[in-house]
Amino acid sequence: METKVNFFREEVVKSFFESVYDGVVVVDCDGIIQYMSSTYCRFLDVKPEHVVGTHVEMVIENTRMHIVAKTGKEEINDLQLLQGNYVIANRIPIRRKGKLIGAIGTIIFNDLGKWQEMNVHIKKLLNELDFYRKEWNETNGANYSLQDLVGTSDEIGHLKEQVVKLAGGDIAVLIRGESGTGKELIAHSIHQLSERSRKQFVKVNCGSIPEHLLESELFGYVEGAFTGAKKGGKMGKFKFADGGTIFLDEIGDMPEYMQVKLLRVLQEKEIEPVGSLQSEKVDVRVITATNRPIEKMIERNKFREDLFYRINAAQLFLPPLRERREDLKILARHFLQKVTARMNKRVNRIDEDALALIKDYHWPGNIRELENAIEVAVHLSEEGTIDVHSLPSYLNRGRKDYTEKRTLKQQLEDTEKQIIEQALKKYQYDKLKVAESLGMGKSSLYDKLKRHNIMY
């Protein structure tokens, strides 16, 4: 009897959804589709049995259902681009006994005359906005925003909060993290959120410019400064960024003689072009980044301590992927959308075995390596799905090398490294507090940091 009652209730609910709304979708707290109305399926040209159990981002373009299911914040009357048309979307979190268990979304896409007229008008306005935004990005130099920092982990949430708080002032920011974690993205975001966002954002990779050209690239030169100098001289990066932001990436690779010159710029807020007898005032916010252990470089006299204090007014740490594994699925799906849009290839799903392999791999190359792996998988995929055979073969080998083939001693070393990294993050990289919390002396901690090659 109870089964019949439940079946009857389910059919009533489905009939209600089908008759009242143009499209209904229900997802769980992980963004996995549990139900989609037949009208919505017809509109998207998909079959119900194919979408249930699939992540909502793989089925509905520009969706935010997974975000609402995670945050519990409802979104009412939101404009969403779907199948080339704009629809009105409502997204409402679902709770059971106060606990967030998912979200329900409804859309309206009635093909009425006024709606079509408004849709055309909206498209026209947004096309104009896209044109001006593209034009602005090309001249401004900042291409990323905080929305490009994908992830729902506590680490990423805390990092976003810090970026927002630091963006408002002119304080110097040092961004630290392993190669491929997305340090440049953070620099762009700080500029975009700052009062300087209407001015230039200028990026300089200190490690890629030949040493003998770095001074003229940063500070410019006057006519006749040296053999081969351009007529009329050349404006340097600092002058070009006047009023805006300059991002000095790989600051740890800057030659020692240039560190002295940079320190003077930061202290006096003026530059001296090569060959010039006069200094020029500049108003520039400086953001730097490195993946190198600068504190160790200071001990070896490879980096100036006074310069470090100037650029290190505030620090931001980008965690490696292995420390935010809960973000791997959403990042993989994000890159899938990005890559397929660029390649115009219809691949809309990553199967569970492939996702498990992605989650198990240790990703030494971080975000950059993950995006490259997804791009390879899209090329090799068949029937619109990424499976374990589509992914680069080294992911399988990497998992075996990293688990089954490691000795007990190696696994203990891995565990020790992980514990130290977690303690460093917990105590904001205060080595004295870390040593005390782990019950060891500071010198012993430094020995372990060096042995495990941990950046601090």
Side-chain angles (χ1 to χ4, degrees), residues 144-417:
Y144 304 106
S145 70
L146 205 56
Q147 299 300 318
D148 295 303
L149 184 60
V150 177
T152 57
S153 62
D154 292 341
E155 292 85 353
I156 293 301
H158 179 60
L159 178 60
K160 287 183 177 181
E161 290 175 2
Q162 288 182 304
V163 169
V164 172
K165 290 176 181 176
L166 291 174
D170 269 347
I171 192 170
V173 179
L174 173 61
I175 307 169
R176 307 188 73 165
E178 295 179 5
S179 179
T181 50
K183 296 185 289 295
E184 182 179 345
L185 190 154
I186 297 298
H188 284 247
S189 301
I190 293 172
H191 175 76
Q192 296 279 40
L193 292 169
S194 74
E195 294 296 323
R196 296 175 176 268
S197 60
R198 294 182 179 275
K199 297 291 185 176
Q200 286 291 331
F201 175 85
V202 178
K203 177 194 172 185
V204 180
N205 189 314
C206 301
S208 65
I209 301 175
E211 188 172 325
H212 66 284
L213 295 177
L214 188 56
E215 183 176 2
S216 61
E217 281 293 315
L218 289 178
F219 309 133
Y221 58 79
V222 297
E223 184 174 342
F226 49 83
T227 303
K230 290 182 180 179
K231 186 176 181 180
K234 179 183 177 181
M235 181 188 294
K237 302 290 189 183
F238 268 88
K239 189 65 178 178
F240 187 56
D242 194 20
T245 304
I246 192 165
F247 173 46
L248 302 177
D249 199 7
E250 306 299 346
I251 187 71
D253 294 335
M254 179 173 280
E256 292 178 56
Y257 84 95
M258 279 301 300
Q259 293 177 27
V260 179
K261 294 179 180 291
L262 176 60
L263 180 62
R264 182 175 181 275
V265 173
L266 297 179
Q267 288 174 334
E268 307 298 331
K269 299 197 180 299
E270 60 183 27
I271 59 171
E272 189 174 298
V274 177
S276 176
L277 299 177
Q278 293 182 333
S279 298
E280 301 176 21
K281 287 288 184 182
V282 289
D283 173 25
V284 177
R285 183 180 192 176
V286 177
I287 300 175
T288 55
T290 185
N291 62 357
R292 302 186 66 180
I294 293 187
E295 292 88 347
K296 205 69 175 178
M297 294 174 67
I298 292 172
E299 292 178 10
R300 298 170 181 167
N301 295 318
K302 295 295 184 181
F303 199 91
R304 293 184 63 93
E305 188 172 14
D306 46 6
L307 176 59
F308 176 65
Y309 291 133
R310 280 284 176 178
I311 65 175
N312 189 39
Q315 276 196 38
L316 293 174
F317 294 90
L318 263 163
L321 270 183
R322 63 181 174 274
E323 291 182 10
R324 42 182 290 222
R325 291 189 177 275
E326 59 266 50
D327 287 335
L328 279 168
K329 285 187 178 182
I330 190 171
L331 280 166
R333 287 163 174 150
H334 167 74
F335 289 133
L336 176 60
Q337 284 189 319
K338 181 180 176 181
V339 170
T340 52
R342 185 172 68 241
M343 293 172 54
N344 197 27
K345 183 175 180 180
R346 189 172 178 79
V347 180
N348 56 17
R349 185 171 175 269
I350 307 175
D351 73 22
E352 289 303 317
D353 289 339
L355 283 171
L357 190 61
I358 288 170
K359 195 170 182 179
D360 284 348
Y361 186 65
H362 56 291
W363 298 108
N366 294 296
I367 299 287
R368 192 179 297 126
E369 184 183 12
L370 175 59
E371 183 172 5
N372 290 339
I374 296 298
E375 184 164 0
V376 169
V378 169
H379 279 286
L380 299 178
S381 65
E382 296 179 359
E383 299 180 358
T385 299
I386 291 178
D387 57 20
V388 292
H389 304 294
S390 310
L391 291 168
S393 58
Y394 70 83
L395 263 68
N396 257 313
R397 292 199 302 270
R399 179 166 63 171
K400 292 175 183 177
D401 291 342
Y402 203 66
T403 54
E404 296 173 7
K405 295 184 180 180
R406 297 183 74 75
T407 64
L408 176 60
K409 182 180 178 181
Q410 289 172 324
Q411 292 181 52
L412 290 173
E413 290 280 324
D414 289 343
T415 303
E416 183 179 71
K417 180 179 180 181

Side-chain angles (χ1 to χ4, degrees), residues 232 377 429:
Y429 287 74

Side-chain angles (χ1 to χ4, degrees), residues 29-68:
C29 57
D30 294 320
I32 305 300
I33 296 174
Q34 303 299 315
Y35 167 77
M36 181 178 283
S37 65
S38 59
T39 50
Y40 208 165
C41 288
R42 286 196 298 271
F43 182 73
L44 297 175
D45 193 23
V46 295
K47 295 181 179 180
E49 60 269 23
H50 290 167
V51 300
V52 172
T54 302
H55 195 276
V56 68
E57 284 189 293
M58 300 296 102
V59 180
I60 305 175
E61 60 182 320
N62 304 309
T63 185
R64 289 177 55 81
M65 287 294 297
H66 57 298
I67 297 174
V68 173

Side-chain angles (χ1 to χ4, degrees), residues 11-24 35 37-40 42 106-108 110:
E11 290 303 311
V12 169
V13 171
K14 286 183 178 179
S15 298
F16 174 78
F17 283 156
E18 295 287 351
S19 60
V20 175
Y21 298 104
D22 292 318
V24 177
Y35 167 77
S37 65
S38 59
T39 50
Y40 208 165
R42 286 196 298 271
T106 64
I107 63 165
I108 301 172
N110 284 329

